[in-house]
Amino acid sequence: MPPPTASLSVSSSPSIFPLSSIASSSSKPQICFCPNPTRFTGFASLSKPKSHHRKLTPLSAVSIEKETMISERPHTFLRETDGQDDGSVRSRFQRMIMEVQDSVCAALEAVDGAGKFKEDAWTRPGGGGGISRVLQDGAVFEKAGVNISVVYGVMPPEAYRAAKASAADEKPGPIPFFAAGVSSVLHPKNPFAPTLHFNYRYFETDAPKDAPGAPRQWWFGGGTDLTPAYIFEEDVEHFHSIQKQACDKFDPSFYPRFKKWCDDYFYIKHRGERRGLGGIFFDDLNDYDQEMLLSFATECANSVVPAYVPIIEKRKDIPFNESQKAWQQLRRGRYVEFNLVYDRGTTFGLKTGGRIESILVSLPLSARWEYDHKPEEGSEEWKLLDACINPKEWI
């Protein structure tokens, strides 16, 4: 989710936005990032350094607010001051993602026939919480995660930059925020059944503490994309048609715009190829009426089941051999590479010290990295790789 996913950006995995990962306002420690970008240091004391070189306090030496697991799913994660059921965008978005989590999980359990979702609900002492659901080692799904999260607090500038796509919007100082989202990644066992990712999220920020009076910002983000190991053109056309139908109900420019955005975003730069065959993706979306965008995000989230379940039903029982399974594992290796290296939702989660199980729920149970693998030109595997390198217009 993916942030979020979800995932508050994808993953993807967000990937796209692993919303469980955000620190709450009651946490006294602030996140510290080592100048060496290859190493995440952890947390440091709030006390100001006495010299130019800041001394980092070991993670174990600081009391860090962690999630508190709860036995029952709550009616709301909103505080009374946030308007629990007052018709606000916050409360309606929360209600929507809870309903989407229920409907998607019910549909997936029906398709699987054997597997059941394990649910973990959690809260943070300072406010907010989430519900993680994972179906693992089912009859159809190797791993399926559907997470929701509703969190608020204060984020450091580093986390804001990870959450917001535009560097021009960078703000100084700690930034109060609210974030909510649903994020899911579904990995079937059968190599002819595609992986699916979807993530829809809503984000608000208030004025930074050192810039009082600045206007509140809000935006929506998310998308749904398909990652098969083998191409069945009728499946990809069906999937993209459902995405276009959802977009066209609001603006005919949405589908071509968000389809290209998806192709550009899920790009593995060091490979020169896309993660999959795309779908739609958007982020930082606030240039339309807020009510319209809430309805649009709801429509997109509700289109996941009709876009995906018919494909799974057709492909889940097709016989396959070891070579085809190995190719699926290689493509899942690409999935892992994208989520850990490029997905903003995953990096946001890792940089904000969140619940690692929720952040990395997007990763498959198994993947493969085979040295210098090149599919034979003209083969079905080659056709998939070619479509990932050269995105197509499917409808």
Side-chain angles (χ1 to χ4, degrees), residues 182-242:
V182 56
S183 182
S184 175
V185 176
L186 315 174
H187 292 294
K189 289 183 173 181
N190 194 305
F192 295 114
T195 286
L196 180 88
H197 158 259
F198 75 89
N199 170 268
Y200 292 98
R201 57 200 177 274
Y202 174 67
F203 204 116
E204 289 181 2
T205 63
D206 288 325
K209 289 192 171 182
D210 56 358
R216 169 178 291 187
Q217 292 191 346
W218 59 266
W219 64 89
F220 290 85
T224 308
D225 63 282
L226 197 69
T227 306
Y230 290 92
I231 296 178
F232 294 90
E233 292 205 8
E234 63 190 85
D235 294 353
V236 187
E237 290 169 3
H238 165 80
F239 175 79
H240 277 268
S241 294
I242 297 296

Side-chain angles (χ1 to χ4, degrees), residues 140-142 186-190 193-195 308 312 328 332:
V140 173
F141 292 101
E142 179 181 285
L186 315 174
H187 292 294
K189 289 183 173 181
N190 194 305
T195 286
Y308 185 61
I312 290 296
Q328 180 197 46
R332 285 185 174 168

